[in-house]
Amino acid sequence: MALTDRHALPSLLAAAALHGWFAGQQATRAATLARMDPWLSVIPAASGLLGAVIGITSTVLTERWRTRTTLQQEQRLVASRLRDERKEAILNFLASCQQVEHAAEQRSQIGNHFVEGSPSLTHEMWFRQKSLDLVAGARVRGTAYTLANCLMETVYGQHRTVGEVQDFIHKQRGPFLDAAKEALGIPENPELSGH
């Protein structure tokens, strides 16, 4: 085809125009990609960084929760052990008081005479009362001391009948038992508490 051909000239012009249009489109697209090119590398980096931040944050929060849970478990364990020690001290004190009470009743039955073994029984009772001082609260300690003094008076004090001894001791034992139940978390009336 010759350049002078009349019919070929419009085709060539159309092809050149079309080629120019495509070239313009490609240039526009290239310019757009050039402007977006920094974003194309920043977006993956930013999303990776965001993922790392989320991962680190979740790890830190999980560890904090785990540490907190462990600390709470440890505190419950310590509280449980202290409660067990307190319970053991209360029961030992009560067992010792029971022996002294028995000696006081014997004394009243034999006419105000000394009961053999009373000093060792009262000594043991005071030791158990001091053991309570180590693990019990003020209310338990105070009522235990009052009960121990009451028992000392029944064993070594004025003469009483068996009934008077029991009444005298009962008046002091009740407050101690109430304080001990409170310290151990035992409700006054278990039927009402659902236990």
Side-chain angles (χ1 to χ4, degrees):
M1 183 174 3
L3 288 174
T4 56
D5 190 3
R6 223 173 126 191
H7 294 295
L9 189 57
S11 296
L12 282 173
L13 287 177
L18 190 59
H19 177 70
W21 182 80
F22 279 123
Q25 288 296 320
Q26 286 178 341
T28 304
R29 187 172 286 147
T32 303
L33 286 177
R35 282 186 305 220
M36 289 183 67
D37 187 44
W39 289 108
L40 291 176
S41 62
V42 169
I43 289 173
S47 65
L49 181 61
L50 180 62
V53 168
I54 291 171
I56 290 170
T57 303
S58 67
T59 300
V60 166
L61 291 176
T62 300
E63 284 303 311
R64 183 174 179 217
W65 176 79
R66 189 176 295 147
T67 301
R68 187 179 189 195
T69 302
T70 303
L71 181 62
Q72 289 171 342
Q73 289 171 340
E74 210 172 284
Q75 288 170 339
R76 282 192 297 267
L77 180 64
V78 167
S80 175
R81 286 181 181 163
L82 180 59
R83 182 188 180 280
D84 291 344
E85 287 179 24
R86 194 174 289 141
K87 179 181 175 182
E88 183 180 346
I90 288 169
L91 291 175
N92 288 338
F93 176 70
L94 281 172
S96 182
C97 287
Q98 188 66 40
Q99 292 176 342
V100 174
E101 183 177 341
H102 181 67
E105 289 171 349
Q106 282 181 328
R107 178 177 178 240
S108 64
Q109 289 172 346
I110 59 172
N112 200 28
H113 295 294
F114 178 76
V115 175
E116 190 68 35
S118 294
S120 62
L121 293 176
T122 55
H123 177 77
E124 179 70 16
M125 178 188 65
W126 283 113
F127 172 75
R128 297 298 179 185
Q129 187 275 328
K130 289 176 185 127
S131 297
L132 276 176
D133 285 347
L134 297 175
V135 294
R139 185 167 175 232
V140 171
R141 291 190 320 258
T143 55
Y145 186 80
T146 302
L147 178 58
N149 272 333
C150 166
L151 288 167
M152 288 293 289
E153 191 173 323
T154 60
V155 171
Y156 299 113
Q158 73 181 30
H159 176 68
R160 294 181 170 89
T161 66
V162 174
E164 290 172 336
V165 166
Q166 290 172 347
D167 289 342
F168 186 66
I169 294 170
H170 181 71
K171 288 178 186 175
Q172 302 307 320
R173 187 186 312 118
F176 171 74
L177 291 176
D178 290 341
K181 287 178 190 176
E182 181 183 314
L184 296 175
I186 299 170
E188 283 296 316
N189 190 347
E191 291 82 26
L192 295 178
S193 69
H195 294 287

